[in-house]
Amino acid sequence: MVSVHRFHQISEVDHRILNPLSLEQLLLLGDICKLQPAQRHLDLASGKGEMLCQYAHRHGTTGLGIDVFPPYTSMANARAVELGVDHLVHFIEGDAALHEAEPGSFDVVSCIGATWIGGGLSGTLELMRAPLHATGWLLVGEAYWNDQPPDAAKAALHLGDEFTDLSGNLGRFEDAGLDLVEMVLATPETWDRYATSQWLNVSTWLDEHADDPDADDVRAIRDDARRSYLRYGRRYLGWGVFVLRRMRRAASLDM
């Protein structure tokens, strides 16, 4: 069976942002946080590193990205060189959930679309709080249900009860002592661009690698993802980046 990382390496071969988020939306998040030169940013499960590299280029922030997939770490460091910010940001291979950082040492902590690192949203928020400065910004990318999905939708999308609706996410943020202050949500257009461009990438790969031993599995995964997206995902599943800060009472206790 093809690994998740290998499938995404094929299906997202030309993606710089590995989520249904446009570059304009990514930059908007940096503007919302009013990023300043020399602020420190920790990105957990950093993928190809576009967030850290763009913010360093645009705002002069410094950053560390951690990702478990070695090819992405190499791509991220190459992107930093390409944008001329390799003196500001660095990417390392590792399990983001196990990274030890000095408490309160980062002005921004992000995990965009990879809350599996902490066993779900609540566990990942706990991981992210520790290295976050008392007045810092926390950016978490997470899916949510636009409407209550039928069991058939959960089965087709291979999802259980790990996701909730937007108000449910708010409750999880508040339970973690975090204040939801902004959010940037995927639109139907950004969802379509993210999902459907993968179909073309896989089709191209299959044309060029018809004899690859993984070809049948890659095709089957693509076909299943395409069918479930069109039947259920587009209607029921949303995604966004949530901008969080410590609640005032939590901040006063942590300082």
Side-chain angles (χ1 to χ4, degrees):
M1 178 63 68
V2 175
S3 73
V4 171
H5 287 301
R6 175 157 168 73
F7 179 77
H8 284 292
Q9 188 178 21
I10 294 168
S11 64
E12 299 176 332
V13 63
D14 56 357
H15 292 196
R16 292 197 186 277
I17 301 170
L18 307 181
N19 292 289
L21 197 70
S22 69
L23 176 59
E24 292 73 19
Q25 289 175 311
L26 184 74
L27 298 179
L28 174 60
L29 286 163
D31 292 341
I32 287 171
C33 295
K34 298 180 175 61
L35 299 178
Q36 300 295 321
Q39 285 186 319
R40 300 189 68 205
H41 184 166
L42 174 65
D43 193 18
L44 303 177
S46 50
K48 296 181 182 179
E50 194 68 10
M51 172 177 272
L52 284 184
C53 290
Q54 287 289 347
Y55 291 176
H57 181 70
R58 185 178 174 91
H59 301 284
T61 51
T62 65
L64 172 65
I66 305 163
D67 199 276
V68 73
F69 191 45
Y72 284 173
T73 301
S74 297
M75 291 178 191
N77 282 312
R79 181 62 168 158
V81 172
E82 182 181 0
L83 290 182
V85 295
D86 50 306
H87 62 298
L88 295 175
V89 297
H90 181 58
F91 299 89
I92 61 173
E93 176 191 347
D95 185 340
L98 300 179
H99 180 73
E100 295 184 4
E102 182 181 349
S105 58
F106 286 91
D107 302 289
V108 183
V109 178
S110 57
C111 179
I112 309 300
T115 55
W116 48 264
I117 67 170
L121 179 59
S122 297
T124 300
L125 293 174
E126 184 176 352
L127 291 174
M128 298 172 74
R129 273 179 55 98
L132 182 68
H133 188 272
T135 60
W137 302 91
L138 190 153
L139 304 175
V140 63
E142 180 73 330
Y144 59 89
W145 295 117
N146 285 312
D147 196 2
Q148 182 61 38
D151 290 341
K154 293 182 180 181
L157 294 167
H158 307 288
L159 299 174
D161 296 321
E162 62 267 38
F163 297 134
T164 181
D165 59 13
L166 283 171
S167 64
N169 277 347
L170 175 61
R172 293 176 181 181
F173 300 146
E174 291 174 340
D175 288 345
L178 297 166
D179 190 18
L180 175 63
V181 296
E182 253 278 21
M183 62 186 187
V184 176
L185 303 183
T187 67
E189 290 74 22
T190 59
W191 257 125
D192 283 347
R193 294 276 38 85
Y194 176 65
T196 67
S197 62
Q198 294 184 51
W199 307 343
L200 178 57
N201 288 339
V202 170
S203 179
T204 300
W205 184 88
L206 289 170
D207 287 343
E208 297 172 351
H209 300 83
D211 297 328
D212 191 291
D214 290 332
D216 288 343
D217 283 344
V218 170
R219 181 182 291 104
I221 295 170
R222 188 276 311 271
D223 291 352
D224 179 69
R226 181 172 57 191
R227 185 174 296 105
S228 64
Y229 176 74
L230 293 174
R231 179 67 180 87
Y232 295 111
R234 216 169 176 273
R235 174 179 176 181
Y236 290 105
L237 195 61
W239 188 90
V241 178
F242 301 92
V243 183
L244 308 165
R245 307 197 80 171
R246 292 177 186 265
M247 290 183 178
R248 288 187 178 182
R249 63 177 182 274
S252 64
L253 291 174
D254 292 337
M255 292 181 65

